[in-house]
Amino acid sequence: MADDQHEEVSKKVSAEEEIRRGITVMRKVVQGRSRGIILDVCWNNQGQLIEPNGHTLTSFIGALVRNEIPITCDDWRNKELNESKEKIWSEIKRCFNIEDERRGFCMKLAGKLLRGFRTFLSSKFLKDADGNFVDAELPKKYESLISAEEWEAFKSKRQDPVFQRISATNRERASSPAYPYRKGRVGYGRLEQSMQQKEESSETSLPAHVLWKEARVGKSGVPQEEVLHVYQKCEELSQSLSPDDTKGILSRALDVPEYSGRVRGKGFGVTPTSLSVKKGKAPSNRELHARLEAMQAELDALRREREASASTVYRDASDKNSINCTFQPNIPEGISHCQLYLSSPYYRMVGKGKVHNVSGVLLHTRELPAGCLKVSVDIAVDPNAALPYPSDDSDATTVHEAVGSFVAWPTNLICVGYELQENEVSNASAQQKKEVSNASARVKSSGAKKTVARKKPTTKYRSCLRTFLEMTDIPTGGVRTVHMEEGIFGFDHDQMIGNEDFMQVFSHEEIGVTVVNTYIRYLYDKLMRPNGLDESFGFLAPATVNLGLILSRPDTVTEYVLRILMDNKDAEKLFFIPFNTGGHWLLLAINPIREIVYYLDSLGNDWTTYPVMKVLIDTVLQAFRAQRDIQTSRRGANSITWIKVACPQQRNQIDCGYFMLRFMRDTLALGRLMIPTDYFEEFKCAFYTKDQVDEIKEEWCQFMIELNVFS
């Protein structure tokens, strides 16, 4: 009996002799680089690696990760791996022509390949035929990659009872799959490519259930009856469901639940977001503006065509007696209050005044241009907007310069119905004087106090986004998704966004968690990650950390916050918590290492207003301290510091959400982990102005356009 066991162990220890291939080092790729050969990499429209060179890049990443990452690494998100990950990415860039946007895919693939390598080592050398642990020596083949200490630690982890229990569960679950994958290392992306080439198909992608069936066809070329049954059920469902709902079709046919972030039947690298958003290089600002102008031009052409078909054709303006004797149906004869619009470069209101729709009227003794009416400008809404027809008898070229005079205005850009409110003109004039006075004061004080320069915001992106949304099903109940990657809140998910969320911004209503989350995605993409601030700052999800959940499910909130803090326990970091009390937004900024909580409330309250919030945060920080095994005196055990920051204060019942977003934006703009008690000198003010609030709206709208949420 003992001899049999010894023979079994001997066979297992010498299993390396059965592997005839050497360690993959991809010498051809490295040698090609030395000769100046950089390999191109191809991707399908769903962001998956395909041929040519897809398999080569995968093998190259596998070789790199085996050389750079120890097999004892169990957490791919460990910050200590950042230097090694950067080295892996640098080597990939040196050998392959690949965009920076593909870094995330390559790092995820590297993590997957590392897990596969560890599984291979465990299965090949540390288990017998029955799955029992074998205390094998370090295989000579891998002595150049694995140190003796790493091998012993690796074996020790495999003997841990918790690990063995999890391993047994996973092994049992994977031992007899109902529909086994039969394409080896090909993967869904390259399988789809080969099917398209074989069928000479022009389709950019194939339905998930078609790929799923083909992936389960073995060497015989004949699928199993069970596979055909599922495929036939998918075909029947596809007749009654939307073609875009292939994920739902396959899940329904298999009668299994779907998991968040996964697309069944598509393989590695495909997420629900990548199915709806085309992968590619992010457009530059110039390209984005050109695209917006082109789309707006198409909208203007459609609008003019519609208005031309609904209105009477103007007569020749050369006949003085016939000028304006045919009126637009929506502009009454006589003098009427009106709003003045321009359509280029985007459709927006630029002024208010009166339209003079009177037969035979002249403009400064001259005839009006064809298709125009005479208007008097009373208020400049967009002072710098250029006049559609500059006056020849004055120097007025902008709406502001035309206030108090008459100009010609295209009839299709005049909206009748606005009635000038009492004192509005005088108030507008006073406001203009105030702006000039404030500008002078800023110039005088510029030498004494350094401030962060701000541009006066416009409504350009709000107008564009609103126009684009009108062409979609969103106003009638349609929804879209914005992908929130794991690095933002600690979990990967898709944020639903609908018409109500857009209207909160367009109509200046109280904003909800969707607008807050998507603006945080903007801060993460535009301020944090490009500047390396994701190493110093973080966010906690407001949908998980709020007063309602603290009252109903405090354990859930505590576990989530503690997990995020422990994931970042080795470096000082400031975490933002956009906190909703049920009808009000405030900001908590937590530095868990220093045990400091900054409290920023635009209503001027302090943390005693929400005692359960303070108790939970204190409890989490004490647990964080205990898990880090930080020793403190009995007096210091409750030394968590709460600081009320004298932040800008809102002057209405709506702006709390915008102020809270602005607090985070200001902090990230300066990149400081400490928030002064009297707020940052660069942004110190009694309250945020309308322009500063509008700046948040414009940034959000521009980002939504960049994400193409209206498509």
Side-chain angles (χ1 to χ4, degrees):
M1 182 69 177
D3 292 339
D4 293 341
Q5 291 179 348
H6 178 74
E7 181 180 356
E8 184 66 33
V9 171
S10 299
K11 289 181 179 179
K12 191 62 185 178
V13 171
S14 62
E16 59 196 282
E17 298 176 0
E18 300 175 6
I19 307 173
R20 302 304 179 188
R21 284 184 54 190
I23 299 176
T24 302
V25 293
M26 304 300 290
R27 288 193 179 90
K28 291 184 178 180
V29 175
V30 178
Q31 292 170 355
R33 180 188 66 196
S34 301
R35 298 194 300 270
I37 300 175
I38 305 299
L39 300 178
D40 290 325
V41 182
C42 296
W43 311 80
N44 62 17
N45 71 323
Q46 296 163 7
Q48 293 174 299
L49 267 176
I50 56 175
E51 301 301 334
N53 298 323
H55 180 267
T56 302
L57 175 57
T58 301
S59 298
F60 186 70
I61 293 175
L64 289 175
V65 78
R66 289 191 290 272
N67 276 278
E68 298 297 333
I69 309 296
I71 60 172
T72 53
C73 168
D74 292 324
D75 185 3
W76 184 246
R77 298 173 298 178
N78 193 325
K79 301 296 183 182
E80 296 178 359
L81 300 179
N82 287 348
E83 184 177 349
S84 298
K85 289 180 181 179
E86 190 58 40
K87 186 175 181 181
I88 291 173
W89 177 242
S90 177
E91 288 298 312
I92 293 172
K93 292 275 289 182
R94 292 178 63 193
C95 299
F96 293 85
N97 184 16
I98 187 170
E99 304 93 340
D100 289 334
E101 289 78 9
R102 306 294 184 181
R103 188 182 192 278
F105 176 93
C106 291
M107 290 300 102
K108 290 180 181 178
L109 179 58
K112 177 185 177 184
L113 293 172
L114 177 63
R115 293 192 299 272
F117 182 51
R118 292 202 309 266
T119 301
F120 164 77
L121 292 174
S122 180
S123 301
K124 198 71 177 177
F125 301 107
L126 300 180
K127 292 181 181 178
D128 59 20
D130 297 325
N132 300 314
F133 177 79
V134 175
D135 188 9
E137 297 295 329
L138 172 63
K140 294 181 180 180
K141 175 181 177 180
Y142 296 105
E143 288 179 346
S144 61
L145 300 178
I146 306 170
S147 68
E149 293 78 10
E150 290 175 355
W151 182 251
E152 292 302 319
F154 182 73
K155 290 195 300 181
S156 177
K157 179 64 180 292
R158 267 67 194 160
Q159 297 179 73
D160 181 74
V162 176
F163 180 90
Q164 290 185 343
R165 184 168 60 253
I166 296 174
S167 178
T169 301
N170 293 337
R171 184 168 60 252
E172 181 180 356
R173 184 173 56 195
S175 61
S176 55
Y179 312 101
Y181 184 88
R182 299 185 181 278
K183 295 300 180 182
R185 300 174 62 191
V186 173
Y188 278 98
R190 282 178 282 161
L191 174 62
E192 182 180 50
Q193 183 185 24
S194 65
M195 291 174 64
Q196 291 171 325
Q197 292 174 346
K198 183 177 180 180
E199 300 173 5
E200 298 182 353
S201 172
S202 60
E203 296 291 333
T204 57
S205 64
L206 299 176
H209 65 280
V210 175
L211 278 174
W212 181 87
K213 185 198 78 169
E214 185 64 24
R216 280 145 186 85
V217 176
K219 294 182 179 179
S220 65
V222 180
Q224 295 179 347
E225 184 177 348
E226 296 83 357
V227 173
L228 286 177
H229 176 73
V230 173
Y231 176 77
Q232 186 60 38
K233 192 172 182 179
C234 288
E235 287 290 295
E236 294 173 358
L237 287 171
S238 65
Q239 304 301 318
S240 57
L241 297 175
S242 167
D244 297 330
D245 195 20
T246 51
K247 179 187 70 172
I249 290 174
L250 187 53
S251 296
R252 291 185 182 93
L254 291 170
D255 193 23
V256 293
E258 194 54 270
Y259 300 100
S260 175
R262 167 184 175 177
V263 180
R264 190 180 297 275
K266 285 292 185 178
F268 178 78
V270 178
T271 64
T273 304
S274 65
L275 283 179
S276 57
V277 179
K278 185 178 179 180
K279 295 285 184 179
K281 186 177 180 180
S284 65
N285 285 338
R286 181 178 299 177
E287 293 170 337
L288 184 60
H289 285 305
R291 188 185 304 171
L292 291 175
E293 290 177 1
M295 295 179 69
Q296 188 62 48
E298 294 180 9
L299 288 175
D300 293 339
L302 291 172
R303 186 179 289 111
R304 286 193 297 270
E305 182 180 346
R306 184 176 67 247
E307 291 171 348
S309 64
S311 63
T312 307
V313 178
Y314 286 101
R315 300 180 183 179
D316 187 0
S318 62
D319 183 359
K320 187 179 298 185
N321 293 327
S322 68
I323 296 176
N324 299 323
C325 62
T326 302
F327 305 110
Q328 285 287 341
N330 59 339
I331 299 181
E333 183 176 357
I335 301 175
S336 308
H337 292 286
C338 67
Q339 296 171 335
L340 305 175
Y341 287 78
L342 289 178
S343 60
S344 179
Y346 51 91
Y347 196 81
R348 81 276 190 204
M349 183 175 68
V350 297
K352 300 178 182 180
K354 301 181 185 69
V355 56
H356 296 248
N357 194 11
V358 181
S359 298
V361 69
L362 300 176
L363 179 65
H364 306 301
T365 71
R366 290 186 176 88
E367 301 170 359
L368 286 166
C372 291
L373 290 174
K374 179 180 178 179
V375 301
S376 59
V377 182
D378 297 327
I379 295 178
V381 176
D382 186 351
N384 297 321
L387 293 173
Y389 292 93
S391 175
D392 294 332
D393 296 318
S394 67
D395 295 331
T397 59
T398 66
V399 175
H400 173 69
E401 294 169 345
V403 172
S405 63
F406 292 99
V407 295
W409 209 275
T411 310
N412 64 329
L413 296 176
I414 299 173
C415 180
V416 173
Y418 166 74
E419 185 171 352
L420 204 62
Q421 300 296 320
E422 186 178 357
N423 297 326
E424 189 168 7
V425 175
S426 61
N427 289 341
S429 177
Q431 178 65 23
Q432 291 168 359
K433 293 179 181 178
K434 182 179 178 181
E435 290 173 358
V436 173
S437 175
N438 291 341
S440 300
R442 286 193 296 270
V443 171
K444 292 178 181 178
S445 63
S446 60
K449 177 180 176 180
K450 182 180 179 182
T451 60
V452 177
R454 301 187 184 98
K455 294 182 179 179
K456 183 178 179 63
T458 67
T459 61
K460 175 170 63 175
Y461 291 108
R462 273 174 284 172
S463 301
C464 288
L465 181 59
R466 192 164 193 167
T467 300
F468 297 150
L469 291 178
E470 290 174 355
M471 299 185 295
T472 72
D473 63 342
I474 292 178
T476 58
V479 295
R480 300 295 187 271
T481 60
V482 175
H483 186 63
M484 306 291 290
E485 63 180 76
E486 184 178 3
I488 301 176
F489 292 139
F491 56 92
D492 185 278
H493 73 288
D494 289 324
Q495 177 68 57
M496 304 293 290
I497 185 168
N499 190 59
E500 178 183 357
D501 306 305
F502 291 105
M503 293 309 298
Q504 290 170 2
V505 177
F506 296 153
S507 305
H508 193 69
E509 301 170 357
E510 295 181 15
I511 58 175
V513 69
T514 297
V515 175
V516 171
N517 282 352
T518 46
Y519 187 80
I520 287 175
R521 162 77 192 274
Y522 161 79
L523 293 175
Y524 184 79
D525 282 11
K526 301 299 184 180
L527 289 184
M528 287 179 59
R529 195 157 49 182
N531 300 311
L533 294 177
D534 52 332
E535 299 294 329
S536 303
F537 295 90
F539 299 100
L540 277 82
T544 305
V545 188
N546 56 68
L547 189 59
L549 275 180
I550 289 177
L551 292 172
S552 61
R553 288 186 287 170
D555 292 343
T556 300
V557 181
T558 301
E559 291 172 4
Y560 167 68
V561 178
L562 185 58
R563 176 177 70 82
I564 298 299
L565 299 188
M566 288 303 299
D567 286 346
N568 299 270
K569 63 182 174 61
D570 298 324
E572 185 175 356
K573 201 167 185 177
L574 189 68
F575 290 92
F576 296 118
I577 304 181
F579 192 82
N580 192 283
T581 66
H584 174 61
W585 287 101
L586 58 89
L587 179 67
L588 300 177
I590 301 178
N591 187 326
I593 299 293
R594 296 181 180 269
E595 297 188 352
I596 296 176
V597 182
Y598 298 99
Y599 181 92
L600 296 89
D601 190 338
S602 58
L603 286 181
N605 300 320
D606 61 27
W607 53 83
T608 59
T609 309
Y610 312 105
V612 293
M613 171 195 71
K614 183 178 186 300
V615 170
L616 183 133
I617 297 299
D618 286 347
T619 301
V620 169
L621 290 179
Q622 290 167 3
F624 176 71
R625 178 200 304 155
Q627 292 196 21
R628 291 175 63 233
D629 198 23
I630 303 298
Q631 302 297 324
T632 61
S633 64
R634 179 174 299 180
R635 178 177 298 178
N638 295 319
S639 61
I640 298 170
T641 303
W642 283 70
I643 298 175
K644 180 183 177 181
V645 178
C647 55
Q649 299 293 288
Q650 67 188 82
R651 300 191 297 172
N652 56 35
Q653 301 299 315
I654 296 175
D655 287 346
C656 59
Y658 295 106
F659 275 50
M660 178 270 298
L661 296 178
R662 186 95 200 185
F663 297 155
M664 293 192 291
R665 184 183 183 275
D666 290 351
T667 307
L668 290 172
L670 298 175
R672 299 174 189 169
L673 295 181
M674 297 180 63
I675 304 178
T677 305
D678 56 351
Y679 206 54
F680 300 111
E681 188 70 21
E682 292 85 348
F683 297 108
K684 188 183 298 183
C685 56
F687 57 88
Y688 289 132
T689 65
K690 179 180 182 299
D691 288 345
Q692 289 172 303
V693 172
D694 285 347
E695 192 172 1
I696 299 293
K697 296 180 182 179
E698 282 293 284
E699 289 171 344
W700 185 83
C701 290
Q702 181 181 5
F703 190 57
M704 292 300 100
I705 293 173
E706 290 182 9
L707 294 180
N708 203 21
V709 295
F710 47 80
S711 64

Coordinates of all heavy atoms in Angstrom, one line a residue, residues 665-710:
R665 N -15.1 69.1 -6.7 CA -14.4 69.6 -7.8 C -13.3 70.6 -7.4 O -12.1 70.5 -7.9 CB -15.4 70.3 -8.8 CG -14.8 70.9 -10.1 CD -15.8 71.6 -10.8 NE -15.4 72.1 -12.1 CZ -14.7 73.2 -12.3 NH1 -14.4 74.0 -11.2 NH2 -14.4 73.6 -13.5
D666 N -13.6 71.5 -6.4 CA -12.6 72.4 -5.9 C -11.4 71.6 -5.3 O -10.2 72.0 -5.5 CB -13.2 73.3 -4.9 CG -14.2 74.3 -5.5 OD1 -14.2 74.4 -6.8 OD2 -14.9 75.0 -4.8
T667 N -11.7 70.6 -4.5 CA -10.7 69.9 -3.8 C -9.8 69.1 -4.7 O -8.6 69.2 -4.6 CB -11.3 68.9 -2.8 OG1 -12.3 69.6 -1.9 CG2 -10.3 68.2 -1.9
L668 N -10.4 68.5 -5.8 CA -9.6 67.8 -6.8 C -8.8 68.7 -7.6 O -7.7 68.4 -8.0 CB -10.5 66.9 -7.6 CG -11.2 65.7 -7.0 CD1 -12.2 65.1 -7.9 CD2 -10.1 64.7 -6.6
A669 N -9.3 69.9 -7.9 CA -8.6 70.9 -8.7 C -7.3 71.3 -8.0 O -6.3 71.6 -8.7 CB -9.5 72.1 -9.0
L670 N -7.3 71.4 -6.7 CA -6.1 71.7 -6.0 C -5.3 70.5 -5.6 O -4.1 70.7 -5.3 CB -6.5 72.5 -4.7 CG -7.2 73.9 -5.0 CD1 -7.7 74.5 -3.7 CD2 -6.4 74.8 -5.7
G671 N -5.9 69.3 -5.5 CA -5.2 68.1 -5.2 C -4.7 68.0 -3.8 O -3.6 67.4 -3.6
R672 N -5.4 68.6 -2.9 CA -4.9 68.6 -1.5 C -5.7 67.7 -0.6 O -7.0 67.6 -0.7 CB -5.0 70.1 -0.9 CG -4.2 71.1 -1.7 CD -4.4 72.5 -1.2 NE -3.8 73.5 -2.1 CZ -4.0 74.8 -2.0 NH1 -4.8 75.3 -1.1 NH2 -3.4 75.6 -2.8
L673 N -5.1 67.0 0.3 CA -5.7 66.0 1.2 C -6.3 66.7 2.4 O -7.0 66.1 3.2 CB -4.8 64.9 1.6 CG -4.3 64.0 0.4 CD1 -3.3 62.9 1.0 CD2 -5.4 63.4 -0.3
M674 N -5.9 67.9 2.7 CA -6.4 68.7 3.8 C -7.3 69.8 3.4 O -6.9 70.6 2.5 CB -5.2 69.2 4.7 CG -4.3 68.1 5.3 SD -3.0 68.8 6.3 CE -3.9 69.6 7.6
I675 N -8.5 69.9 4.0 CA -9.4 71.0 3.6 C -9.4 72.0 4.8 O -9.7 71.6 5.9 CB -10.8 70.4 3.4 CG1 -10.8 69.3 2.4 CG2 -11.8 71.6 3.1 CD1 -12.2 68.7 2.1
P676 N -9.0 73.2 4.5 CA -8.9 74.2 5.6 C -10.3 74.5 6.2 O -11.3 74.3 5.6 CB -8.4 75.5 4.9 CG -7.8 75.0 3.6 CD -8.5 73.8 3.2
T677 N -10.3 74.8 7.5 CA -11.5 75.1 8.2 C -12.3 76.2 7.6 O -13.6 76.1 7.6 CB -11.2 75.4 9.7 OG1 -10.4 74.4 10.3 CG2 -12.5 75.6 10.5
D678 N -11.6 77.2 7.1 CA -12.4 78.3 6.4 C -12.4 78.1 4.9 O -12.5 79.1 4.1 CB -11.7 79.6 6.8 CG -10.2 79.7 6.5 OD1 -9.7 78.6 6.1 OD2 -9.7 80.8 6.6
Y679 N -12.2 76.9 4.4 CA -12.3 76.5 3.0 C -11.0 77.0 2.3 O -10.2 77.7 2.8 CB -13.5 77.1 2.3 CG -13.9 76.2 1.1 CD1 -14.1 74.8 1.2 CD2 -14.1 76.8 -0.2 CE1 -14.5 74.1 0.1 CE2 -14.5 76.0 -1.3 CZ -14.7 74.7 -1.1 OH -15.0 73.9 -2.2
F680 N -10.9 76.6 1.0 CA -9.7 76.9 0.3 C -9.6 78.4 -0.1 O -10.6 79.0 -0.6 CB -9.6 76.1 -1.0 CG -9.6 74.6 -0.8 CD1 -10.7 73.8 -1.1 CD2 -8.5 74.0 -0.2 CE1 -10.7 72.5 -0.9 CE2 -8.5 72.6 0.0 CZ -9.6 71.8 -0.4
E681 N -8.5 79.0 0.1 CA -8.3 80.4 -0.2 C -8.6 80.7 -1.7 O -9.2 81.7 -2.0 CB -6.9 80.8 0.1 CG -6.6 82.3 0.0 CD -7.3 83.1 1.2 OE1 -7.6 82.5 2.2 OE2 -7.5 84.3 1.0
E682 N -8.3 79.8 -2.6 CA -8.5 80.0 -4.0 C -9.9 80.0 -4.4 O -10.3 80.6 -5.4 CB -7.8 78.9 -4.8 CG -6.2 78.9 -4.7 CD -5.7 78.2 -3.5 OE1 -6.5 77.9 -2.6 OE2 -4.5 78.0 -3.4
F683 N -10.8 79.4 -3.6 CA -12.2 79.3 -3.9 C -13.1 79.9 -2.8 O -14.3 79.7 -2.9 CB -12.6 77.8 -4.2 CG -11.9 77.2 -5.3 CD1 -10.9 76.2 -5.1 CD2 -12.2 77.5 -6.6 CE1 -10.3 75.6 -6.2 CE2 -11.6 76.9 -7.7 CZ -10.6 76.0 -7.5
K684 N -12.5 80.6 -1.9 CA -13.3 81.1 -0.8 C -14.3 82.1 -1.2 O -14.0 83.1 -2.0 CB -12.4 81.7 0.3 CG -13.1 82.1 1.6 CD -12.1 82.8 2.5 CE -11.0 81.8 2.9 NZ -10.1 82.4 3.9
C685 N -15.6 82.0 -0.8 CA -16.6 82.9 -1.2 C -17.8 82.6 -0.2 O -17.9 81.6 0.4 CB -17.1 82.8 -2.6 SG -17.6 81.1 -3.1
A686 N -18.7 83.6 -0.1 CA -19.9 83.4 0.7 C -20.9 82.4 0.1 O -21.5 81.6 0.8 CB -20.6 84.7 1.0
F687 N -21.0 82.4 -1.2 CA -21.9 81.5 -2.0 C -21.3 81.4 -3.4 O -20.6 82.2 -3.9 CB -23.3 82.0 -2.0 CG -23.4 83.4 -2.6 CD1 -23.6 83.6 -3.9 CD2 -23.3 84.5 -1.8 CE1 -23.7 84.9 -4.5 CE2 -23.4 85.8 -2.3 CZ -23.6 86.0 -3.7
Y688 N -21.7 80.3 -4.0 CA -21.4 80.1 -5.4 C -22.4 80.9 -6.3 O -23.6 80.8 -6.0 CB -21.4 78.6 -5.8 CG -20.3 77.8 -5.3 CD1 -20.6 76.5 -4.6 CD2 -19.0 78.2 -5.4 CE1 -19.5 75.8 -4.1 CE2 -18.0 77.4 -4.9 CZ -18.2 76.2 -4.3 OH -17.2 75.4 -3.8
T689 N -21.9 81.6 -7.3 CA -22.8 82.3 -8.2 C -23.5 81.4 -9.1 O -23.2 80.2 -9.3 CB -21.9 83.3 -9.0 OG1 -21.0 82.6 -9.8 CG2 -21.1 84.2 -8.0
K690 N -24.4 82.0 -9.8 CA -25.2 81.2 -10.8 C -24.2 80.7 -11.9 O -24.4 79.6 -12.4 CB -26.3 82.1 -11.5 CG -27.1 81.4 -12.6 CD -28.1 82.3 -13.2 CE -28.9 81.6 -14.2 NZ -28.1 81.1 -15.4
D691 N -23.2 81.5 -12.3 CA -22.2 81.1 -13.3 C -21.5 79.9 -12.8 O -21.2 79.0 -13.6 CB -21.3 82.2 -13.6 CG -21.9 83.3 -14.4 OD1 -23.0 83.1 -15.0 OD2 -21.4 84.4 -14.5
Q692 N -21.1 79.9 -11.5 CA -20.3 78.7 -11.0 C -21.2 77.5 -10.9 O -20.7 76.4 -11.1 CB -19.8 79.1 -9.6 CG -18.7 80.1 -9.7 CD -18.3 80.6 -8.3 OE1 -19.1 81.1 -7.5 NE2 -17.0 80.5 -8.0
V693 N -22.5 77.6 -10.6 CA -23.4 76.5 -10.7 C -23.6 76.0 -12.1 O -23.6 74.8 -12.4 CB -24.7 76.8 -10.0 CG1 -25.7 75.7 -10.2 CG2 -24.6 77.1 -8.5
D694 N -23.8 77.0 -13.0 CA -23.9 76.6 -14.4 C -22.7 75.9 -15.0 O -22.8 75.1 -15.9 CB -24.2 77.9 -15.3 CG -25.6 78.4 -15.1 OD1 -26.5 77.6 -14.5 OD2 -26.0 79.5 -15.5
E695 N -21.5 76.2 -14.5 CA -20.3 75.5 -14.9 C -20.4 74.0 -14.7 O -20.0 73.2 -15.5 CB -19.1 76.2 -14.2 CG -17.8 75.8 -14.9 CD -16.6 76.5 -14.3 OE1 -16.9 77.3 -13.4 OE2 -15.5 76.3 -14.7
I696 N -21.0 73.7 -13.5 CA -21.1 72.2 -13.2 C -22.1 71.6 -14.3 O -21.9 70.5 -14.8 CB -21.7 72.1 -11.8 CG1 -20.7 72.6 -10.8 CG2 -22.0 70.6 -11.5 CD1 -19.5 71.9 -10.7
K697 N -23.2 72.3 -14.6 CA -24.2 71.8 -15.5 C -23.5 71.6 -16.9 O -23.7 70.6 -17.6 CB -25.3 72.7 -15.7 CG -26.2 72.9 -14.4 CD -27.3 73.9 -14.6 CE -28.1 74.1 -13.4 NZ -29.2 75.1 -13.6
E698 N -22.7 72.6 -17.4 CA -22.1 72.5 -18.7 C -21.1 71.4 -18.7 O -21.1 70.7 -19.8 CB -21.4 73.9 -19.0 CG -22.4 75.0 -19.4 CD -23.0 74.7 -20.8 OE1 -22.3 74.8 -21.8 OE2 -24.2 74.3 -20.8
E699 N -20.3 71.2 -17.7 CA -19.4 70.1 -17.7 C -20.1 68.8 -17.7 O -19.7 67.8 -18.5 CB -18.5 70.1 -16.4 CG -17.5 71.3 -16.4 CD -16.9 71.5 -15.0 OE1 -17.4 70.9 -14.0 OE2 -15.9 72.2 -15.0
W700 N -21.2 68.6 -17.0 CA -22.0 67.4 -17.0 C -22.6 67.1 -18.4 O -22.5 66.0 -18.9 CB -23.1 67.5 -16.0 CG -23.9 66.2 -15.8 CD1 -23.6 65.1 -15.1 CD2 -25.2 65.9 -16.4 NE1 -24.6 64.2 -15.2 CE2 -25.5 64.6 -16.0 CE3 -26.0 66.6 -17.3 CZ2 -26.7 64.0 -16.4 CZ3 -27.2 66.0 -17.7 CH2 -27.5 64.7 -17.3
C701 N -23.2 68.2 -19.0 CA -23.8 68.0 -20.4 C -22.7 67.7 -21.4 O -22.9 66.8 -22.3 CB -24.5 69.3 -20.7 SG -26.0 69.5 -19.8
Q702 N -21.6 68.4 -21.4 CA -20.5 68.1 -22.3 C -20.0 66.6 -22.2 O -19.8 65.9 -23.2 CB -19.3 69.0 -22.1 CG -18.2 68.8 -23.1 CD -17.0 69.7 -22.9 OE1 -17.0 70.5 -21.9 NE2 -16.0 69.6 -23.7
F703 N -19.9 66.2 -20.9 CA -19.5 64.8 -20.7 C -20.5 63.8 -21.2 O -20.2 62.7 -21.8 CB -19.3 64.6 -19.2 CG -18.6 63.3 -18.9 CD1 -17.4 62.9 -19.5 CD2 -19.2 62.4 -18.0 CE1 -16.7 61.8 -19.1 CE2 -18.5 61.2 -17.7 CZ -17.3 60.9 -18.3
M704 N -21.8 64.1 -21.0 CA -22.9 63.2 -21.5 C -22.8 63.1 -23.1 O -23.0 62.1 -23.7 CB -24.3 63.7 -21.1 CG -24.6 63.6 -19.6 SD -24.5 61.9 -19.0 CE -22.9 61.9 -18.2
I705 N -22.5 64.3 -23.7 CA -22.4 64.3 -25.2 C -21.2 63.4 -25.6 O -21.2 62.6 -26.5 CB -22.2 65.7 -25.7 CG1 -23.5 66.5 -25.5 CG2 -21.9 65.7 -27.2 CD1 -23.5 67.9 -25.8
E706 N -20.0 63.6 -24.9 CA -18.8 62.8 -25.2 C -19.1 61.3 -25.0 O -18.6 60.4 -25.8 CB -17.7 63.2 -24.3 CG -17.1 64.5 -24.5 CD -16.0 64.9 -23.6 OE1 -15.5 64.0 -22.9 OE2 -15.5 66.0 -23.6
L707 N -19.9 60.9 -24.0 CA -20.3 59.5 -23.8 C -21.3 59.0 -24.8 O -21.6 57.8 -24.8 CB -20.8 59.3 -22.4 CG -19.8 59.5 -21.3 CD1 -20.5 59.2 -19.9 CD2 -18.6 58.6 -21.4
N708 N -21.9 60.0 -25.6 CA -22.9 59.6 -26.6 C -24.1 58.9 -26.0 O -24.6 57.9 -26.5 CB -22.2 58.7 -27.6 CG -22.9 58.7 -29.0 OD1 -23.7 59.6 -29.3 ND2 -22.8 57.7 -29.8
V709 N -24.6 59.4 -24.9 CA -25.7 58.8 -24.2 C -27.0 58.9 -24.9 O -27.9 58.1 -24.7 CB -25.9 59.4 -22.8 CG1 -24.7 59.2 -21.9 CG2 -26.2 60.9 -22.9
F710 N -27.1 59.8 -25.9 CA -28.3 60.0 -26.6 C -28.5 59.1 -27.8 O -29.5 59.1 -28.5 CB -28.5 61.4 -27.1 CG -27.3 62.0 -27.7 CD1 -27.0 61.7 -29.0 CD2 -26.4 62.8 -27.0 CE1 -25.8 62.2 -29.6 CE2 -25.3 63.3 -27.6 CZ -25.0 63.0 -28.9

